[in-house]
Amino acid sequence: MISFTIALLALLAGYLLYSKFIERIFGPDDRPTPAVAHSDGVDFVTLPSWKVFMIQFLNIAGTGPIFGAIMGAWYGPVAYLWIIFGCIFAGAVHDYLSGMLSVRHNGANLPFLVGRYLGGKARVVMLVFSVFLLMMVGVVFVYSPALLLKDFGGTTTLWVIVIFAYYILATMLPIDKIIGKFYPIFAFALLFMAVALMVCLFVKMPELPELWSNLDDCNRNTNTAWLGTTGYMAKNPLFPCLFLTIACGAISGFHATQSPLMARCIKSEKMGRPIFYGAMITEGVVALIWATVSMYFFYYGGWRECVDAQTANEFIAQFQGGSGKTLIQFFAAPSVVEKVCTGWLGLFGGILAIFGVVAAPITSGDTAFRSARLIIAEALHLDQRSIAKRFYIAIPMFIAAVALLLWQMENPDGFNTVWQWFGWSNQTLAVFTLWTITVYLVQKRKLFVVTLVPALFMTVVCATFLLVSPMAAGIDTSIGYWGSLVVLLIAIVWFSVWYKNQSRHNNQ
């Protein structure tokens, strides 16, 4: 619990100190925001700041800070370090500056911002890339909550239909009709879940791996072969896979597609820090809690306390001396959520907590489709005040999403395939966003190193995945890492040459 406590305090300190530093670099002022200057009653609507925060938090949360943190914790307490440093110095900076950049450009979407600062070709790539990513987010975030809800009645297919019907309404109606009214309730459930589990952690004070622990010594109540983390890490090396697995709890390019939604609803630029930076820190806290819960569950035999004797015996029997599913396969992320919530919080608390976990992906999925609609509309210069013009975009978009969803449900490995490529696409989007912000800061003669360093790091992470992942090039890591170094050097040289030319241009 020492590492967990230090990590919590570090996130709080990051918000209180570093967020103010980043805010001073950007320099918010009293100019009219897009919600005021371009009010249209549909997408540009001034909302109360507390409500904007709740919506932003739910928009960016999804299952990433929960499922991603659970899987990231399989690497051990090193996951804490990525959540802390990634969230404070990369993710929250990425979210704040991309959100404020949208505010300064009349609520513009990410492809426009990328094109404005990285060029027209980059804008075209980002337009296709971001719409494809948002479609995957919508599809993934239909299926994952349906898998949880079926345990409370109905079938997965039934819940997929119900959730998709909600997505259509939330995508088409004005933002204050559904999203503005129901998101605060969903946010309460998600925050209740996080706070309740954090209280349980401090009350129970379970034995947990610390940053200085030997993970092999943390398996004394569990057969090491049962755990399965050794085999998992052999196929998914810590670098770069940890930095793709824990995305939304540290840094996520998906957030940059969502921030423009709230950039069109805030009434003052000075609310950007608590809304954009603060929502990311809050998400980091949620990820930290679930990473800790996951380490409790899988290490020191915590799973034995969360499941009934019959389930425990079923796992042991099916393992059959090492040939069956390991713990991390048998108790997948949704199962960990259900077992821990109901076991620690009781029936009512468990249902409310699971409702929060379900609400997170659903509320990210609907705004993903809404963002896709707005991005396409902006590219086509199609005004969205008319509901008929919204249907022009929404109908083909939902047809394509249904096709992808059906493929995912019919393909035995469909969900895993979509999820893995979603993770890489998500972080690649963050790379484009960070480079866009860096160029903006250079052009405005502001301190650009705050985004240059994260941009370089995430560039290397995404490039390394393409080089060493079996789903991509599959190069041996001993060679792939050298390729990553080459990518880093190319990025540094490219930026240095551009910066020199830009400086010469600014001085003319």
Side-chain angles (χ1 to χ4, degrees):
M1 288 293 289
I2 297 175
S3 300
F4 171 65
T5 304
I6 293 173
L8 275 176
L9 294 175
L11 288 176
L12 177 61
Y15 176 74
L16 294 176
L17 301 175
Y18 197 66
S19 69
K20 293 182 180 179
F21 174 67
I22 297 298
E23 184 183 47
R24 283 197 298 271
I25 292 174
F26 182 81
D29 55 35
D30 296 323
R31 72 185 68 189
T33 62
V36 176
H38 305 286
S39 178
D40 64 0
V42 179
D43 298 306
F44 291 82
V45 180
T46 301
L47 296 175
S49 296
W50 69 269
K51 188 173 287 190
V52 176
F53 171 85
M54 290 291 200
I55 297 172
Q56 173 71 7
F57 172 57
L58 281 171
N59 282 356
I60 67 175
T63 51
I66 302 170
F67 291 178
I70 290 173
M71 293 184 285
W74 298 342
Y75 292 94
V78 68
Y80 289 154
L81 297 179
W82 173 229
I83 293 173
I84 294 170
F85 292 105
C87 190
I88 294 172
F89 299 106
V93 174
H94 166 282
D95 288 12
Y96 172 75
L97 291 176
S98 64
M100 296 307 294
L101 204 57
S102 178
V103 171
R104 286 285 172 89
H105 290 78
N106 298 316
N109 283 306
L110 182 61
F112 173 87
L113 298 174
V114 170
R116 169 69 176 78
Y117 293 100
L118 297 186
K121 293 181 180 178
R123 180 179 182 274
V124 174
V125 171
M126 187 50 47
L127 177 64
V128 176
F129 197 85
S130 58
V131 170
F132 179 66
L133 173 64
L134 289 167
M135 295 281 285
M136 284 199 296
V137 169
V139 170
V140 167
F141 288 173
V142 167
Y143 198 56
S144 56
L147 292 175
L148 282 173
L149 288 169
K150 71 177 176 58
D151 293 332
F152 295 91
T155 63
T156 302
T157 302
L158 173 63
W159 283 112
V160 164
I161 294 172
V162 171
I163 295 170
F164 217 95
Y166 163 76
Y167 279 3
I168 294 174
L169 288 174
T171 301
M172 298 301 298
L173 292 176
I175 196 167
D176 59 336
K177 299 303 180 184
I178 290 183
I179 293 175
K181 285 183 169 60
F182 292 103
Y183 270 38
I185 299 173
F186 296 153
F188 169 78
L190 184 58
L191 292 174
F192 167 83
M193 172 271 296
V195 172
L197 290 177
M198 182 173 65
V199 170
C200 286
L201 283 169
F202 281 109
V203 170
K204 292 177 176 293
M205 294 295 287
E207 193 169 14
L208 297 169
E210 303 288 356
L211 284 166
W212 49 87
S213 298
N214 183 330
L215 289 184
D216 289 338
D217 296 335
C218 300
N219 298 332
R220 62 171 179 266
N221 294 327
T222 299
N223 185 316
T224 301
W226 291 358
L227 190 59
T229 54
T230 302
Y232 175 82
M233 286 185 275
K235 296 179 182 178
N236 302 275
L238 187 146
F239 187 87
C241 293
L242 171 64
F243 305 95
L244 298 174
T245 303
I246 302 181
C248 292
I251 180 172
S252 167
F254 169 66
H255 297 183
T257 68
Q258 301 302 288
S259 292
L261 294 178
M262 293 303 98
R264 300 170 180 183
C265 296
I266 64 173
K267 58 185 175 182
S268 170
E269 282 194 355
K270 294 178 181 177
M271 292 307 300
R273 184 173 72 92
I275 289 171
F276 296 122
Y277 200 104
M280 183 62 224
I281 292 294
T282 305
E283 186 174 11
V285 171
V286 173
L288 198 64
I289 291 169
W290 275 109
T292 305
V293 168
S294 181
M295 281 185 271
Y296 152 78
F297 189 91
F298 289 107
Y299 291 97
Y300 292 115
W303 61 278
R304 295 177 180 270
E305 301 175 13
C306 295
V307 304
D308 55 72
Q310 181 179 349
T311 303
N313 290 333
E314 286 177 3
F315 163 73
I316 295 172
Q318 65 84 43
F319 191 79
Q320 298 177 345
S323 60
K325 290 183 177 180
T326 63
L327 274 171
I328 65 176
Q329 294 170 332
F330 192 85
F331 296 106
S335 180
V336 174
V337 170
E338 180 185 354
K339 300 300 183 186
V340 172
C341 285
T342 54
W344 281 13
L345 305 178
L347 180 61
F348 174 75
I351 291 174
L352 186 58
I354 292 173
F355 174 69
V357 174
V358 167
I362 290 176
T363 52
S364 290
D366 61 14
T367 51
F369 282 121
R370 189 180 191 89
S371 296
R373 172 177 66 80
L374 292 170
I375 288 172
I376 296 170
E378 187 175 90
L380 298 177
H381 304 290
L382 193 63
D383 184 82
Q384 294 292 279
R385 285 184 174 88
S386 166
I387 192 168
K389 292 183 179 179
R390 285 176 243 160
F391 270 116
Y392 293 161
I393 298 172
I395 290 176
M397 180 177 69
F398 280 119
I399 290 174
V402 169
L404 181 59
L405 178 62
L406 290 175
W407 175 85
Q408 173 185 282
M409 295 175 68
E410 293 297 324
N411 191 311
D413 201 36
F415 178 78
N416 290 335
T417 301
V418 173
W419 182 270
Q420 288 169 341
W421 279 111
F422 158 69
W424 175 80
S425 302
N426 189 25
Q427 299 302 59
T428 301
L429 201 63
V431 170
F432 275 92
T433 306
L434 287 168
W435 281 115
T436 298
I437 300 168
T438 302
V439 171
Y440 165 81
L441 293 176
V442 170
Q443 291 182 354
K444 296 298 181 181
R445 301 185 181 185
K446 297 178 183 290
L447 186 63
F448 60 86
V449 71
V450 295
T451 54
L452 174 62
V453 173
L456 289 169
F457 179 75
M458 294 309 300
T459 298
V460 173
V461 166
C462 293
T464 304
F465 178 80
L466 288 180
L467 291 172
V468 304
S469 172
M471 294 192 304
I475 299 173
D476 185 82
T477 54
S478 60
I479 301 174
Y481 288 156
W482 281 107
S484 302
L485 181 60
V486 172
V487 170
L488 175 61
L489 293 175
I490 291 173
I492 292 173
V493 171
W494 169 83
F495 177 78
S496 299
V497 172
W498 175 85
Y499 179 72
K500 183 178 180 180
N501 292 333
Q502 184 67 33
S503 299
R504 186 183 302 114
H505 174 75
N506 288 339
N507 293 327
Q508 288 178 352

